Amino acid sequence: MPGRRRSVRRSQRVRAMAGSPDSHPSGRRRDRMINPALLKLPPETLDIITEMLSRHEKAILAATSKAIKTYMEPQLGRKIKTRFGTSQDTAGLVGLLTERPDIVPLIKVLVLDEYHPCHARRLLSIKIPEVWCILIHHEGDSVKHVSEREKRALNRSLTKQPELTNFVFWMKNVDPIPYQLSEEDAALFRQPTVERFRLSYVDFSVFGTVDKTYFMYLNLKTLDLEDSHYSPEALNRFISPSKNLTELTIQHWGDPPFVPTRYLPILAPSSTTLKVLRLQWRHTRTSRDPDYHGLDLTAFSALRLLSIQPSVLLGSGGDGVKPYVTNTNLGITELIRSRLPPGLRMFLLESLTIPPPYGDVKMLLFPMDKGLIRCLIEQKQSLAPRLSIPSRRCRSRPTYMI
C-alpha cells in the first residue's frame, strides 16, 4: 500500500520536526524533546511553515507536546483571517463578532490583510479574552484617509486585550515613503501585555510627544523595527518601560533616522538584559563621517549575538579603504576590545562584500575588512574567548559570520 507508506513517512517527519520521542531512540518525554528554535520563530514565519501541512499533519504536530499544541490550536479552528475586497474583510469581521458574540471567546489569532483606520478600531474595541497574536499586514493599496477627530472619537471605545503578547503592524504601500502615523494612532498600540512588537514601513516619530508612561510595555522582550522612521524620543517610549528586553532588531536600507551614537543612551537601561542586537543598516553613509568613532558596547554584559556593520561599530577612515584606526590613537586590537561586548558568542559582520558592477559573481572585501577578520581570528582568546570560530561566508547576503 504505497499511499499509506508515504502518509506514514510524512507523519514521521512531522513528529521529527517537533522532537517527538517516536523519532528518538531514548524515548524521552515529549516536552523535553521540543526544538526550542521552532517555537522561538516569529508567528508570521511559523505560519508559512505550518500552512504547508495538511490538517491531519497539523493535528499530528499539535499532539507532540503541550507547547506546540498551544500554538497549533488556532490553526485547527481558532485563527481568523480577513480577505480584503470581500464580505470577509475587517468590516465584515466586526459585523460577524457583533452578531455572534459566542465566537469571540474562541479567537486566539487575528490576521488582518488590510488596515482600515475605522474598522481596525472597531475591531479592537471588542474585548477578545483569548487572543494572543494580532497581525496587521497591509500591502499595495493606499490607506483610507480618516480625520483626527473621527479617530479620537473611536479611540474612546478601544479596549486592552488581556492575553495579547504578539503585535505586528506591517505597512507597505506602493509609495516607498513610510506610512505616517499620527498622535491619535498611538492608542492602537497601547497594549501593556505585549511581549513581541514589530513595526514595518511606518513613521511613528510623532509618538515622541506622548507621555512617557503612555506605552507601559513592562513585559516587552522582542522589538523589531523594519525600514521605519522615528525620533529618539519615540524609540525611547517603547524601550524604556521594559524590564526584560532581550532582543532588538533595527533594519534600514539606508541611513538610520539619527546618528548611531544616539542609540546608546536609549539602550543603556537594557544593557544587563539585551542578548540579541541586530543593527542591520545597508548602504549607510553615517559611518563614513571622519568624525564618527563608533559605538562602545562593552557595558552590554548580557549580549550574546551582535549583527552590525563594522564601520558603525568601530568608526571608519571615511573612504572604506583606510583602516578603522585612522581617526583614533588605538591599534586595531585595542579598538576592537574597546567596542565588543565581553560575553559575545556570535558576531555577524554586515555589508562587507561588495558585488562588482558587471556580471562577475566573485565578491570582494575592502582591505580594512580583511584586516578586521584576520585580527578577530588571530586574537580571539584575548578579544572574545566565547566567540565562535571559524568564519563562514553567506553568498546570498552581504554578511560574514564570525
Side-chain angles (χ1 to χ4, degrees):
M1 300 176 64
R4 182 174 181 180
R5 285 196 295 270
R6 284 195 297 270
S7 177
V8 170
R9 285 195 295 269
R10 289 197 69 183
S11 299
Q12 289 173 346
R13 287 197 297 270
V14 170
R15 290 191 181 98
M17 180 177 67
S20 169
D22 294 341
S23 63
H24 197 277
S26 65
R28 298 176 183 173
R29 290 184 60 184
R30 292 178 175 179
D31 287 349
R32 296 180 181 177
M33 291 299 300
I34 299 172
N35 179 9
L38 179 64
L39 294 178
K40 288 183 179 179
L41 290 173
E44 55 269 30
T45 304
L46 274 174
D47 285 346
I48 296 174
I49 296 173
T50 55
E51 282 177 359
M52 300 174 67
L53 303 176
S54 67
R55 186 175 180 83
H56 176 65
E57 291 167 342
K58 290 178 181 179
I60 294 174
L61 183 60
T64 56
S65 76
K66 293 180 180 179
I68 293 183
K69 180 182 179 181
T70 300
Y71 174 79
M72 294 298 298
E73 276 184 347
Q75 300 195 29
L76 295 172
R78 298 190 180 183
K79 175 186 289 185
I80 301 294
K81 292 184 177 181
T82 61
R83 295 182 180 180
F84 176 69
T86 70
S87 60
Q88 301 175 13
D89 59 5
T90 308
L93 177 59
V94 173
L96 174 65
L97 298 183
T98 303
E99 296 175 2
R100 294 284 308 277
D102 56 302
I103 299 177
V104 175
L106 303 177
I107 300 174
K108 289 198 172 185
V109 176
L110 280 174
V111 181
L112 310 183
D113 66 345
E114 61 165 332
Y115 171 62
H116 190 291
C118 294
H119 301 326
R121 282 169 168 79
R122 293 189 179 101
L123 180 61
L124 293 178
S125 298
I126 302 173
K127 188 173 184 178
I128 309 175
E130 296 295 328
V131 66
W132 67 273
C133 179
I134 296 179
L135 308 178
I136 300 177
H137 188 286
H138 186 103
E139 185 173 5
D141 297 327
S142 300
V143 177
K144 179 178 175 58
H145 175 73
V146 176
S147 67
E148 296 300 294
R149 180 178 180 181
E150 189 173 358
K151 290 181 181 178
R152 192 178 304 113
L154 292 171
N155 284 347
R156 298 190 185 102
S157 59
L158 288 175
T159 184
K160 296 180 176 62
Q161 307 299 335
E163 298 296 327
L164 184 62
T165 57
N166 286 268
F167 199 124
V168 177
F169 192 80
W170 197 96
M171 303 287 294
K172 195 168 185 180
N173 298 327
V174 177
D175 191 343
I177 300 175
Y179 176 70
Q180 180 77 45
L181 293 172
S182 67
E183 189 171 350
E184 295 298 334
D185 292 322
L188 289 171
F189 309 105
R190 199 177 187 185
Q191 301 289 342
T193 58
V194 167
E195 297 180 5
R196 179 183 179 269
F197 190 44
R198 178 175 180 179
L199 282 172
S200 299
Y201 309 107
V202 298
D203 184 344
F204 60 96
S205 302
V206 71
F207 289 0
T209 61
V210 302
D211 190 82
K212 293 182 178 179
T213 60
Y214 191 83
F215 300 110
M216 291 306 293
Y217 292 138
L218 299 177
N219 301 317
L220 185 65
K221 297 179 181 178
T222 302
L223 178 62
D224 190 342
L225 305 177
E226 180 182 6
D227 278 329
S228 295
H229 194 275
Y230 45 86
S231 65
E233 295 77 15
L235 182 61
N236 193 47
R237 294 295 184 272
F238 288 107
I239 293 179
S240 60
S242 175
K243 304 299 181 184
N244 195 29
L245 184 66
T246 58
E247 183 173 348
L248 175 63
T249 301
I250 303 178
Q251 304 178 53
H252 288 286
W253 183 252
D255 289 319
F258 44 86
V259 294
T261 49
R262 297 194 67 180
Y263 285 87
L264 287 180
I266 301 173
L267 300 180
S270 302
S271 60
T272 59
T273 62
L274 194 62
K275 295 182 179 180
V276 177
L277 177 61
R278 301 185 183 93
L279 301 180
Q280 298 170 336
W281 301 336
R282 305 281 191 263
H283 307 296
T284 177
R285 297 184 300 273
T286 304
S287 57
R288 301 176 191 174
D289 186 346
D291 296 325
Y292 175 73
H293 301 299
L295 297 175
D296 182 0
L297 299 178
T298 55
F300 290 79
S301 56
L303 202 59
R304 297 295 179 263
L305 186 150
L306 175 62
S307 178
I308 194 171
Q309 186 175 329
S311 55
V312 174
L313 178 66
L314 304 175
S316 173
D319 58 4
V321 178
K322 298 178 183 178
Y324 295 109
V325 296
T326 298
N327 294 323
T328 68
N329 295 322
L330 301 175
I332 183 63
T333 303
E334 290 76 12
L335 180 62
I336 296 174
R337 185 179 290 111
S338 67
R339 298 291 188 268
L340 281 185
L344 195 64
R345 296 182 180 179
M346 185 173 292
F347 190 15
L348 303 180
L349 307 179
E350 296 285 343
S351 302
L352 288 188
T353 52
I354 310 299
Y358 303 108
D360 187 3
V361 297
K362 185 178 179 181
M363 308 293 275
L364 304 176
L365 282 177
F366 282 134
M368 65 179 190
D369 292 331
K370 291 183 180 179
L372 170 63
I373 294 175
R374 184 181 300 111
C375 181
L376 286 170
I377 295 175
E378 294 176 352
Q379 304 293 329
K380 171 185 171 314
Q381 291 301 323
S382 62
L383 292 175
R386 298 183 179 182
L387 203 62
S388 298
I389 295 292
S391 62
R392 177 172 65 86
R393 184 171 180 173
C394 304
R395 289 186 176 273
S396 61
R397 176 175 161 188
T399 302
Y400 265 69
M401 182 175 73
I402 298 298

